[in-house]
Amino acid sequence: MGLLARYARLLPLTAATPAVNLEEGNTPLIPLPRVGERLGVELWGKFEGCNPSGSFKDRGMVLAVAKALEEGARALICASTGNTSASAAAYAAAAGVPCFVLLPAGKVALGKLAQALMYGAAVVAVKGNFDKALELARQAAETLGCAMVNSVNPYRLWGQRTGAWEICESLGEAPDWHAIPVGNAGNISAYWAGYREYLQLGRASKTPRMMGFQAAGAAPLVTNEPCPSPETVATAIRIGNPVSARLARAAVSESGGEFNSVTDEEILAAQRLLAAKGGVFAEPASCAPLAGLLKLKEAGRLPQGIKVVMVLTGSGLKDPDTAMSQVGRPVEAGDSLESLLTVLKPVSQ
Ligand SMILES: *Cc1c(COP(=O)(O)O)cnc(C)c1O
């Protein structure tokens, strides 16, 4: 069952809302004991890479597209660091409406670009960063009369609350800490709204501290000023002027949380650790929280024994280039057992 059916009573649906569905949501909350041991906490990863387009963006997109269709939209438009475009293009394809996608030229991970093109979107590479592409998409949406499905669209954030609801249902309670990467700052705001709602509904008895993590080269919420030329290997959070900054600041201060930044080297080390000790391959942006938790642990600022959920926002398969740049090539062997054993022996010893 997709999210619109599963959470029909908590989402703003009407009798006229089309039943858009790619079986999104209901992603696994994966226990990560070997990584958690290192941190001294009970660690869980909400693996959003299991969504149909491979990132959490599907949670909000399903609702945004359904509402756009309900309101008579005949085409969709978005600016994207990659995953929003993959998601918008997927739902547009399933619904049979055209989709225009504006990407920052040369700064989108290969898998995401392949997705948008395969789903049949009209993909435009804009000379400029994401913030510029977003501004242009807004203007084009108005001129062309397309529905804008970026997270400025309020239905996106509403749909993304479902992630918090699922975590509370899986754990039977809200976690102590919620650790999440922050780019345009919509997801942290949506999770906070979702946790508060479950508290009000009596489906959880507390709310977590919201811990937001940014890349050091794109950390406007840490430095408290817009970042004119954001730069990071974690392209999904390469954003200098977050649209939902105000909501995100409120989420952090109301929950007693923090924003912290981590370097690209720390992000990539965390990505390797998560894969090699957790068995979960997540894209670089998704690993900023783990990098940050390791840093807090080192600084003696991570309370021991608490329950921590990290949102692993997208699949590692999205960005094969960054992964391959960090690991060796396969060892080569001939086609005989003898040749194979000369290669395997040093490994098995
Ligand atoms: C979009 C995205 C983010 C950032 O989420 P915001 O809501 O923009 O803060 C983080 N990780 C991945 C993989 C994303 O696609």
Side-chain angles (χ1 to χ4, degrees):
M1 196 189 292
L3 289 175
L4 300 192
R6 190 153 160 234
Y7 290 111
R9 276 184 291 177
L10 293 176
L11 295 173
L13 308 181
T14 71
T17 313
V20 178
N21 174 29
L22 285 176
E23 296 292 315
E24 60 289 316
N26 199 16
T27 55
L29 185 67
I30 303 177
L32 297 164
R34 293 186 70 211
V35 185
E37 197 177 333
R38 183 104 154 225
L39 294 169
V41 302
E42 185 184 319
L43 187 65
W44 300 82
K46 179 73 170 159
F47 191 36
E48 294 292 282
C50 286
N51 278 299
S53 83
S55 85
F56 77 85
K57 298 299 199 296
D58 294 341
R59 293 184 181 276
M61 197 59 73
V62 65
L63 183 60
V65 171
K67 296 306 279 187
L69 296 174
E70 180 180 343
E71 287 155 20
R74 289 195 317 237
L76 309 179
I77 187 166
C78 68
S80 176
T81 58
N83 281 331
T84 292
S85 62
S87 185
Y91 285 94
V97 290
C99 180
F100 302 102
V101 163
L102 275 57
L103 303 173
K107 297 293 182 177
V108 170
L110 186 64
K112 304 174 187 181
L113 187 58
Q115 285 182 287
L117 292 165
M118 283 298 289
Y119 292 132
V123 179
V124 184
V126 174
K127 285 193 193 107
N129 62 28
F130 168 80
D131 305 277
K132 183 72 203 173
L134 182 62
E135 188 187 315
L136 286 173
R138 273 178 154 155
Q139 293 165 355
E142 206 154 295
T143 312
L144 301 173
C146 301
M148 174 93 173
V149 293
N150 276 100
S151 58
V152 291
N153 177 322
Y155 296 118
R156 286 276 307 282
L157 296 204
W158 202 325
Q160 286 171 209
R161 291 183 201 176
T162 57
W165 301 341
E166 289 179 12
I167 289 170
C168 293
E169 284 156 19
S170 301
L171 294 177
E173 181 55 281
D176 298 306
W177 277 25
H178 179 91
I180 184 167
V182 177
N184 224 3
N187 210 25
I188 189 171
S189 310
Y191 266 95
W192 179 236
Y195 282 124
R196 271 186 321 180
E197 203 167 351
Y198 259 32
L199 178 69
Q200 278 155 13
L201 291 170
R203 297 185 187 180
S205 66
K206 62 177 181 188
T207 53
R209 275 180 204 269
M210 302 301 287
M211 303 297 288
F213 296 93
Q214 297 205 287
L221 292 165
V222 179
T223 61
N224 277 315
E225 50 192 33
C227 170
S229 9
E231 213 39 87
T232 169
V233 69
T235 49
I237 51 173
R238 185 176 169 270
I239 293 175
N241 195 9
V243 163
S244 300
R246 202 180 47 79
L247 286 174
R249 283 206 180 88
V252 161
S253 70
E254 288 167 21
S255 70
E258 283 177 22
F259 290 113
N260 282 290
S261 65
V262 287
T263 65
D264 281 4
E265 291 67 36
E266 289 165 337
I267 288 172
L268 295 178
Q271 187 188 27
R272 295 191 299 272
L273 179 74
L274 180 68
K277 277 205 187 326
V280 181
F281 183 25
E283 66 168 280
S286 308
C287 301
L290 178 56
L293 291 169
L294 287 161
K295 233 171 145 168
L296 289 171
K297 161 77 178 165
E298 212 157 283
R301 297 185 53 227
L302 180 58
Q304 297 295 280
I306 62 169
K307 203 172 277 192
V308 180
V309 170
M310 304 186 291
V311 187
L312 303 172
T313 45
S315 166
L317 297 173
K318 294 269 192 179
D319 189 354
D321 295 320
T322 301
M324 289 306 286
S325 71
Q326 306 181 62
V327 292
R329 304 289 125 165
V331 195
E332 289 183 14
D335 63 356
S336 68
L337 178 62
E338 194 183 20
S339 152
L340 179 63
L341 289 181
T342 55
V343 172
L344 292 187
K345 262 186 194 143
V347 181
S348 63
Q349 269 160 11

